[in-house]
Amino acid sequence: MIGCATCECIIYNANSLKEKRAVLQRIITRLRQRFNISVAETDFQDLWQRTEITIAIVSSDKIAAEKELEKALQMIDSFPEIERTVTTIDWL
């Protein structure tokens, strides 16, 4: 079972691509350290305050993968400098 969560996010205080990437790098690094998932910025790389983060997980059990994805999404929500606006989850 492959689960893929795509999150569109807004980074309100980013005034440059450098500030945006600093916030994203911190979030992506912590997600990779804490969970057994793949994470990448997949869209809006050239916009200052908007981003799309995609999280992928592979598991033999859909329930376990769903729990892990939900924990990762909660961690994204715990960062005060980023707001998750639209999230879609696909299963393959």
Side-chain angles (χ1 to χ4, degrees):
M1 183 64 52
I2 301 170
C4 184
T6 303
C7 312
E8 287 188 29
C9 302
I10 298 173
I11 304 170
Y12 291 108
N13 294 329
N15 296 317
S16 67
L17 287 175
K18 187 175 183 179
E19 290 177 11
K20 172 191 169 182
R21 290 195 178 111
V23 170
L24 278 178
Q25 189 62 36
R26 187 169 64 251
I27 292 169
I28 289 172
T29 300
R30 291 204 183 140
L31 284 169
R32 285 180 181 156
Q33 287 173 346
R34 172 113 7 130
F35 303 105
N36 189 19
I37 57 176
S38 296
V39 185
E41 180 185 14
T42 53
D43 203 359
F44 310 116
Q45 285 94 348
D46 56 348
L47 298 178
W48 292 1
Q49 295 182 332
R50 190 170 176 198
T51 188
E52 182 180 85
I53 301 171
T54 301
I55 302 168
I57 185 167
V58 177
S59 176
S60 61
D61 183 22
K62 182 177 179 179
I63 295 172
E66 211 167 14
K67 287 180 183 178
E68 197 77 2
L69 278 177
E70 187 59 39
K71 288 178 187 176
L73 294 174
Q74 287 175 358
M75 181 177 234
I76 292 172
D77 291 338
S78 72
F79 289 92
E81 57 266 14
I82 194 167
E83 179 183 348
R84 197 164 45 102
T85 56
V86 178
T87 302
T88 57
I89 298 177
D90 297 314
W91 297 98
L92 305 170

